Amino acid sequence: MSTAPLREIETWSPEIVSEQRQDGTWIISRGDPLGDYPARVTDRLVYWAEKAPDRAWMAERDSAGGWRKISFSEALKAVRSISQMLLNHGLSAERPLLILSHNSIEHALMALGAQHVGIPSAAVSTAYSLISEDCAKLRDIAAQLTPGMIFAQDGPAYQRAIDMVFDSDVPAVVVTEPIDGRECLDFHDVLETGPTSAVDEAHRKVEPGTVAKFLFTSGTTGSPKAVITTHRMLCSNLEMVTDCYAFMREGGEPPVVVDWAPWSHVASGNKIFNLMIYNGGTFYIDHGKPSPAGMKETIRNLREVSPSWYFNVPAGYEMLVNAMEKDDTLRESFFKRLQMLMYAAAAMGQHTWDRLTEMAVQTTGHRIFLGTGLGATETAPFALMCMEEQEIAGNVGIPSQGLTLKLVPHGDRLEARIKGPSVTPGYWRNEEMTKEAFDEEGYYKLGDALRFAVPGDPSKGFYFDGRITENFKLRTGTWVGVGALRAKLVDEFKGYVRDVVLVGENRDELGAILIPFYPKLRELIGDADGLNELQVLGHETVRAKMEELLDGHVKQSTGSATRVMRAIFLAEELSFDAGEITDKGSINQRAVVRNRDELAESLYNNHDRRVFLARKLREAA
């Protein structure tokens, strides 16, 4: 670890309380109690509209490329007008507001306008409308929710999906052009609606147990599930987060984020979105994403706006550090007032972790805290977080205030379960699935396994030990710990792959399907501008490098369950409709193996030129 000092920030001072039962189950909680929190999620919007009325709450690029900003007082005024319109149309929990839109100021205001008066909103992944060919998941969502109104930022863009799924009597609100064939309200006209006393009365009736929104799980296994998210869940979770990120509290510099993650996903839609409202911060909407094309917009934004807290997925950080190595202005702007970095959704390679630290020291003279945590849509999402500096990536930390972590023996692993005020009461209109999600003591079953960072000491945190359902056996009967091995391989392939899928159930040895990271592979080749993706994957330089990295992995492996002997690139895009990937980029191991059985079979053909073999197998072949 660098000897440079860590940039000091105020964080939590947790007191861990734990016990181990006779059956091996661990119960781990916090001795320091959760602080008070509001009853309704928009109470803090009202507070900041009075306390700092002119402070920018949200900013988004306008058509000319400048930043269009809205203050806290302007936001509250708009929210009250929207609330009145929604009440006029008779929306309720039985007829909620469905949002089909990318992140935008208008999207944010519509969601808050609904929640302010006890009407749930539901932001649905844009991929279900714009990428999916049959809109099957959107159809399932509509059947579960029976929405009373649709919000679509761009009417024509969403018209195909809306016409396929929704009856013509469901009205819509749009920002751009109207949708043909149904009642369509212009968003700007909605803002002219005069709020009446009905808005204040409805707001007062909102209770902690009132449904604030519905969030949908990724749908990588069947139809997306409508997770009930109450005001209690959101507000208690925000107090948990702010206890952890104490440097954001009132009295210090108001926080600033530049964030791309979709609000249909719990990480940004709950945590980051509401964290700025809770602590009077400014949310800059980043219309980029962690892809070669999308990172151009992210880089443009980060050159202009210096965040105080930043989140990205590992692939996004990999592209960001590559860009900062060539762009001093970007690097200096990014680290200027940065207090903390967070990653999630996939394992971070150690090389990326180290490069971020080196650049922070180079730019500021200080290390910047970098950490991760663990949560779920059903936990609102903040549940565990690591706030002790680590030398290596992967520690997901300890439970938040107000939560109890239960670790139940499951074979040779520990299955994680959570209980607390930020845990969902269940799934909307699905009693059977709700019952299956909780154990006999009322703990929500995450489906994840954890292992102690320091055996027997919960205060030192935990490492993610894979999904309970992902592990499989080799022909020898040896279990393969998929989660840990996937993370190890991603790191050992040095940024040339953004993820891996393990194959080898009931076989003698393990193989891996590699998800390529094309920018890094093109850099390896050098002059690759004229090559298409298939030519990149088949290039001799790439082949030699992959075999070299595979050999390095084999040398460090300790047994058949941790040794991958063969690998093959996935040349096609992962399928969203087939549940192989979420819109945030998380990969479903089982779905890929199931859908790519021919590729998995090819992996065990030693004479297939696409397959990279470890040295021992190459020599035998």
Side-chain angles (χ1 to χ4, degrees), residues 64-99:
W67 288 104
R68 173 172 64 107
K69 298 180 180 179
I70 181 170
S71 69
F72 278 96
S73 60
E74 291 169 332
L76 181 59
K77 181 177 183 294
V79 162
R80 286 172 51 79
S81 293
I82 293 166
S83 295
Q84 184 66 59
M85 181 276 294
L86 296 173
L87 291 173
N88 292 346
H89 278 77
L91 268 68
S92 65
E94 301 299 321
R95 300 180 65 246
L97 173 69
L98 192 75
I99 297 175

Side-chain angles (χ1 to χ4, degrees), residues 395-449:
N395 192 323
V396 298
I398 59 174
S400 306
Q401 282 183 339
L403 293 183
T404 302
L405 172 66
K406 181 179 182 182
L407 298 176
V408 180
H410 185 98
D412 60 350
R413 295 189 297 165
L414 293 170
E415 180 192 350
R417 303 177 183 181
I418 294 285
K419 182 190 282 188
S422 59
V423 175
T424 183
Y427 303 102
W428 186 245
R429 295 171 175 168
N430 197 325
E431 292 183 10
E432 182 179 350
M433 191 171 288
T434 297
K435 185 178 180 181
E436 292 173 354
F438 295 87
D439 71 11
E440 66 283 353
E441 293 183 299
Y443 286 85
Y444 170 69
K445 296 183 285 189
L446 282 166
D448 296 328

Side-chain angles (χ1 to χ4, degrees), residues 503-577:
V503 177
E505 187 166 7
N506 295 321
R507 291 186 179 272
D508 293 324
E509 60 194 24
L510 287 171
I513 297 173
L514 309 177
I515 314 301
F517 186 53
Y518 287 104
K520 185 86 170 177
L521 293 174
R522 288 182 180 277
E523 284 183 10
L524 176 66
I525 295 170
D527 184 17
D529 291 343
L531 302 180
N532 61 34
E533 291 182 348
L534 282 177
Q535 290 170 324
V536 168
L537 298 184
H539 198 279
E540 285 303 318
T541 303
V542 169
R543 184 173 191 84
K545 188 65 175 180
M546 294 305 102
E547 289 177 347
E548 174 192 327
L549 294 173
L550 186 61
D551 289 343
H553 158 77
V554 169
K555 288 178 182 178
Q556 297 180 45
S557 301
T558 56
S560 61
T562 61
R563 184 189 303 121
V564 173
M565 296 294 291
R566 51 186 74 236
I568 191 170
F569 275 125
L570 177 61
E572 302 85 17
E573 288 293 323
L574 290 161
S575 170
F576 182 83
D577 279 343

